[in-house]
Amino acid sequence: MSAPLLEIADVVTAYGKIEALRGVTLAVAQGSITCLLGPNGAGKTTLMLTTSGILRARRGSIRLAGEEIAGRAPHDIVARGMALVPENRLVFAHMSVTENLAAGAYQRRDRAGIDEDIERLYGRFPQLKARSGQQGGTLSGGEQQMLAVARALMSRPKLLLMDEPSLGLAPLIVEEIFRIIAELNRDGTTIFLVEQNAHMALKVAHHFYLIEQGRVTFSGSPGALAEDEVIRRAYLGSTKH
Amino acid sequence: MVVDLAQNTLDGLMLGSAYALLALGFTLIFGVLRRANLSYGPAIMLGAYAATWVNLQFHSGALVLALVTIAGATLAGAYVERLCFAPHGRRSRSGEAAAVASMVGSFALWMQLEELATLWLPKHLYGFPPLYDGPPLALGPLTLRVEYLAMLACAVAVCFGLHRLLNRTRFGLAVRAVVDQADAARLAGINVPRVFMLVFALASALGGLAGYLIVAAHEQVTPMLGMWSTLKGMIAMMLGGLGSLPGAVVGGLALGLIEAHSQWLFGPQYRDLIAFLILFALLAVRPSGLWAMLRRSPAPAP
Amino acid sequence: MDEYALGVLTNVGLFSFLALSAYLLLVAGEMSFGQQAFFGVGAYAAGIGTAMWGWPLPVAALGAMALGAAAAWLVGWPTLRLRGLYFAMATLAAAEMFRILFELFHYQRTIDGELVGPDGTQGFRGIRWVLERGIEQETFLAAVWALLLVVLAAFAIVERTRLGATLRMVGEDPELAAVLGVNVARVKLGVAAAAGALAALGGALYAHHNTYVEPRNFDIMLGVHSLAYALIGGLGTALGPLLGVALDIGLLESTRVFQGYRMIVFGGLVALLLIVRPRGLLDEVAVSRIAGALRRRRTA
């Protein structure tokens, strides 16, 4: 496999005195779908927020395509080709769907390219096209998830981060979201995905990690661990630490 | 009797347009940064003082004085922003403590800027050349002062201008995104601290414009201008509805109307009393302000 | 001690009551720009008590405190639901209303051939109870600080009890407090009334120290200053507001070094300080560290 696109080494992130990440190390291979599974409170979202620059790591290194991005401002990191689809979508509720997409392309100046991309994304997500003038806050959960993904794609990222894309969505919608994830990957986007829904995630991932209480406790390909073992640790955490 | 009522209403609207202009700048900062800037008035005062000084030295024309006021207010505003607002807004999770720290910091700088101004020009009153030197317009039995008409026109123009800026430009998109969901805006690649800085500068410049028109209409500059501007801007903003631009204009005009009619009905001593009473009552009953009331929207939690 | 120093120390004491009043509300989660109104209510009430109705100062002070508490309740009740800037503006509006009412308030009596009493914008002269009894400046200073110490002791005691914890919880997370069964409204009103009484006590003493008060004394600047003192000194302990007052009035005003530049220096320092310490000098973190160090020293 090619060199890792994203390398996270010994990252520690704390909220005041509470360490949410206690030395996380993992790598995301170029062209792969890599998955991080773990129970609630294990640090998945904290890792996503730290990697994207919203939170600052206290220690450790985060390298994107070989360049250090730890400590950089979020807009800087977007400029380097990484975009995060955040937990709970965070669509711009008072802006139209098209404006949401335009915001995702904020750093780009190529008007024609932006319009092209918007058209292309509307082609891939026809539900969004149908609602292009509607305000983001009026969309359903699944549509908001698609909007959040589409918005992140507008910056043409090399690496797409996704924080619990299945959260709060009906099973049919979840299947569609993961179908889109697989498709995006086939078309060339590297994806680093954090999930609690281990079953769906393992279906698409090339490689996965388990995170428990702020540390990575397992690394391997799907099938390396029995699925029910993975699911148990993803939801409940392993009993031996 | 009817003429008096009409004249007072007209006077109130004219007075209110000054308040509306002040409120627009104040609201821009509060609406986007979610912080109250207590140095807003003092920054305007410094701009006005700069223009006064320029006038004393060079007896310049209106355009120069207006530009000096705007430049002075913007520079003073930038100083306040860098020292009090930029350091406390770094991460979205800063919360209320940071908002309070910003506000108290801006109060500290209020004291600083006021002292600077009075050290620069120590007199209690300075004359200021009027924008328009002719007689007031006559509309039948009613009189209309041209300077105030200019203010009203400016307030309306600024409101429309801001609307276009926010809805038709890339920068406006960024501002709306930041107001909507600051973290998502960061993730979309928007340089949020820079947006805050630019909005602050714009608000300060608007304040400078308001300041120039006001001192030109009053034909004088006093050290009370700082507190007066902040207070009127804040009250107008509150009346109209926190963080809403059309609300700022409505609030400003409403404040002007309240003051004009109270003064006529009860005398100058009661004018401010009634304005504060109405503000207090409004906050107690309908904190979302007059604009929300007019649009009949449900009251959002303050 | 020279007269000037006595005056400065007394003023630090007097304004500490006001700063503590703002601090109390801050701890309970409300930012008030209007405590100066109750300072004024206390001043006028105590002045009327001693100069016009012949009451002794302690009685007049108690009456002033009651009136201050009532006035604070009157402002607190309609504004219960408000938070943040909304609450701050409402208190500012209320305080300005009080100030204007002081300007409109005329109540005079002829006592010993002289016209005594509040005279609108002309103010209230002749509050000479302290002078008439030949009470020395040092004695008055001691009395002010004795009372202040009593108040500080009360704060210290309350901090250690469940009431103190309840207050801080209401300040930090009112929803959580409500869920845990705290009657948030009652707590807030109680705090408002106590803060009003505290400010009024300060005002009563202030009036008798200056012998003359006018509505202009109780303007917005005073209110924002007292809030600033509480915030700069720190919200971790009741000594915080005192520190804030001492820094401004004690250090900067008295040391003539900064004559004419006092606010430029103080304002700049405060803004810089808040960058490093957003919750003031003696914030909760600092207080727990100091307390920890003291405890270790004691057990060592």
Side-chain angles (χ1 to χ4, degrees), chain B residues 20-37:
Chain B
L21 267 174
L22 286 171
L24 277 169
F26 208 86
T27 300
L28 206 53
I29 293 176
F30 193 81
V32 178
L33 279 79
R34 298 266 192 274
R35 306 272 158 91
N37 174 21

Side-chain angles (χ1 to χ4, degrees), chain B residues 54-75:
Chain B
V54 166
N55 182 47
L56 286 173
Q57 307 289 318
F58 307 113
H59 300 287
S60 320
L63 185 61
V64 172
L65 294 179
L67 287 172
V68 170
T69 314
I70 293 173
T74 309
L75 273 168

Side-chain angles (χ1 to χ4, degrees), chain A residues 49 52-56 74-75 78 84 86 90-95 99 102-104 106-109 151, chain B residues 90-93 167 170-171 173-174 176-178 180-181 183-193 195:
Chain A
L49 292 176
S52 61
I54 301 267
L55 291 176
R56 205 189 199 114
H75 63 266
V78 170
L84 168 67
L90 294 187
V91 298
F92 297 118
H94 301 101
M95 285 161 54
E99 283 182 321
Y106 185 74
Q107 289 190 353
R108 294 169 56 182
R109 297 286 198 167
R151 181 180 63 187
Chain B
R90 285 189 65 244
R91 296 300 181 208
S92 59
R93 286 113 211 291
N167 290 297
R170 188 168 160 271
F171 176 68
L173 185 72
R176 280 184 298 132
V178 168
D180 203 318
Q181 271 290 352
D183 268 340
R186 289 181 175 94
L187 294 172
I190 295 172
N191 186 340
V192 172
V195 169

Side-chain angles (χ1 to χ4, degrees), chain A residues 215-238:
Chain A
R215 284 208 186 88
V216 171
T217 55
F218 183 82
S219 160
S221 29
L225 212 56
E227 183 168 316
D228 48 305
E229 165 82 7
V230 175
I231 290 177
R232 192 173 58 74
R233 285 168 77 169
Y235 281 104
L236 304 171
S238 121

Side-chain angles (χ1 to χ4, degrees), chain B residues 241-254:
Chain B
L242 228 50
S244 146
L245 288 173
V249 176
V250 167
L253 293 175

